[in-house]
């Protein structure tokens, strides 16, 4: 079945440091890929997405590129802020028999990020 | 406020109690979901409803009983739960299908209901 594997956390960085959170996946065909973020006491929010190979999703300074050849979707940010402290989830949405995606997502286990001033 | 509202935010119940979690979405979406979030585990999809019809039940124990009376409301009825059922239960909605365009597959989550079973 489909699966998503994220790097183990927690990740602790100083403000303005470079961030990478690794994500690899196993799925048939060409799933859509997502990063969601969960701030303390809140539900998950979509951070960015990519729907086909070589697509780059970006939002709030975060980027991730859909790499079909390495089945990866690593999250990066050049300069993190204290306000980026949260849990980050990588996820995929498979294709159904008709060749279209639908909303049943498979999530990774989440990576806790803490940024210190 | 994301457009998906969950109540109650916190619930403590004994193993013999019966309670319900409620979810309401004001986004006009056609699909709704229950996910379970436990510490140090991936989010687990429990149930999926599409146009009020249940399309997915991920081998969830019968002590969890979903109900979707219309496309805007989703309930999770709880009875005779176990302490290991303590978790954050997240409701989500999405607009699915070819007509959804760029918003397809994007889940909007509620803030969750934190359940503690004693």
């Amino acid at each position: 079945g489909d699966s998503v594997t994220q790097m183990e956390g927690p990740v602790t960085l100083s403000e303005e440091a470079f961030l990478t959170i690794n994500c690899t996946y196993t799925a048939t065909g060409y799933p859509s890929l997502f990063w969601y973020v969960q701030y303390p006491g809140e539900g998950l929010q979509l951070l960015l997405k990519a729907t086909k190979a070589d697509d780059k999703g970006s939002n709030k300074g975060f980027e991730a590129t859909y790499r079909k050849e390495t089945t990866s979707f690593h999250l990066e940010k050049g300069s993190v802020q204290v306000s980026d402290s949260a849990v980050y989830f990588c996820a995929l949405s498979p294709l159904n028999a008709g060749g279209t995606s639908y909303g049943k997502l498979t999530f990774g286990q989440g990576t806790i990020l803490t940024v210190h001033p | 406020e994301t457009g998906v509202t969950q109540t109650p935010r916190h619930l403590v119940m004994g193993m013999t109690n019966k309670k319900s979690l409620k979810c309401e979405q004001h986004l006009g979406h056609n699909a709704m979901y229950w996910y379970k979030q436990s510490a140090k585990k991936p989010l687990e999809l429990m149930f999926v409803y599409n146009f009020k019809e249940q399309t997915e039940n991920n081998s969830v124990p019968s002590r969890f009983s979903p109900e979707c009376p219309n496309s805007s409301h989703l309930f999770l009825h709880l009875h005779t739960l176990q302490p290991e059922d303590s978790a954050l239960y997240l409701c989500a909605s999405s607009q699915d299908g070819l007509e959804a365009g760029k918003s397809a597959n994007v889940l909007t989550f509620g803030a969750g209901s934190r359940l503690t079973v004693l």
Side-chain angles (χ1 to χ4, degrees), chain B residues 26 28 32 36 41 44-45 49-50 55 61 68 80 99 103 106 111-113 115:
Chain B
H26 308 279
M32 296 187 76
K36 177 183 179 182
K41 293 175 67 175
E44 302 171 52
L45 178 64
Y49 278 81
N50 231 296
T55 57
C68 189
T80 60
E99 69 279 4
S103 65
V106 175
S113 294
L115 173 66

Side-chain angles (χ1 to χ4, degrees), chain A residues 86-104:
Chain A
V87 184
Y88 292 82
F89 294 89
C90 185
L92 69 82
S93 177
L95 295 176
N96 63 16
T100 57
S101 296
Y102 62 103
K104 192 183 85 170

Side-chain angles (χ1 to χ4, degrees), chain B residues 2-3 5 10 12 15 17 22 24-25 34 36 50 53 56-57 59 68 72-73 81 87-88 118:
Chain B
T2 64
T5 303
H10 300 273
V12 179
M15 290 191 286
N17 291 158
K22 178 182 176 183
E24 185 174 0
Q25 59 100 357
W34 280 116
K36 177 183 179 182
N50 231 296
E53 299 296 322
E56 190 90 18
N57 177 339
S59 303
C68 189
S72 298
H73 293 85
L81 295 190
L88 182 67
L118 301 177

Side-chain angles (χ1 to χ4, degrees), chain A residues 6 16 31-32 37 39 57 78 82 92 95 105 115 117:
Chain A
Q6 291 180 232
E16 300 183 2
S32 294
V37 58
Y39 297 104
V82 172
L92 69 82
L95 295 176
L105 268 61
V115 180

Side-chain angles (χ1 to χ4, degrees), chain A:
Chain A
D2 297 339
S3 66
V4 175
T5 302
Q6 291 180 232
M7 65 184 288
E8 290 283 337
V11 174
T12 303
L13 296 173
S14 298
E15 207 165 24
E16 300 183 2
F18 184 85
L19 169 71
T20 299
I21 301 178
N22 290 339
C23 171
T24 57
Y25 68 90
T26 302
T28 55
Y30 291 86
S32 294
L33 301 175
F34 306 82
W35 277 100
Y36 279 81
V37 58
Q38 185 178 31
Y39 297 104
E42 299 183 13
L44 280 70
Q45 304 173 27
L46 177 69
L47 182 59
L48 52 85
K49 66 181 281 190
T51 58
K52 61 183 187 293
D54 300 324
D55 262 4
K56 177 185 283 187
S58 61
N59 186 25
K60 300 181 181 179
F62 291 89
E63 293 183 339
T65 301
Y66 190 141
R67 300 289 188 199
K68 179 67 176 175
E69 63 277 14
T70 54
T71 62
S72 65
F73 193 54
H74 304 322
L75 182 69
E76 296 182 338
K77 186 174 185 181
S79 177
V80 293
Q81 305 300 312
V82 172
S83 57
D84 294 326
S85 298
V87 184
Y88 292 82
F89 294 89
C90 185
L92 69 82
S93 177
L95 295 176
N96 63 16
T100 57
S101 296
Y102 62 103
K104 192 183 85 170
L105 268 61
T106 297
F107 286 87
Q109 75 272 29
T111 301
I112 299 172
L113 171 66
T114 303
V115 180
H116 293 298

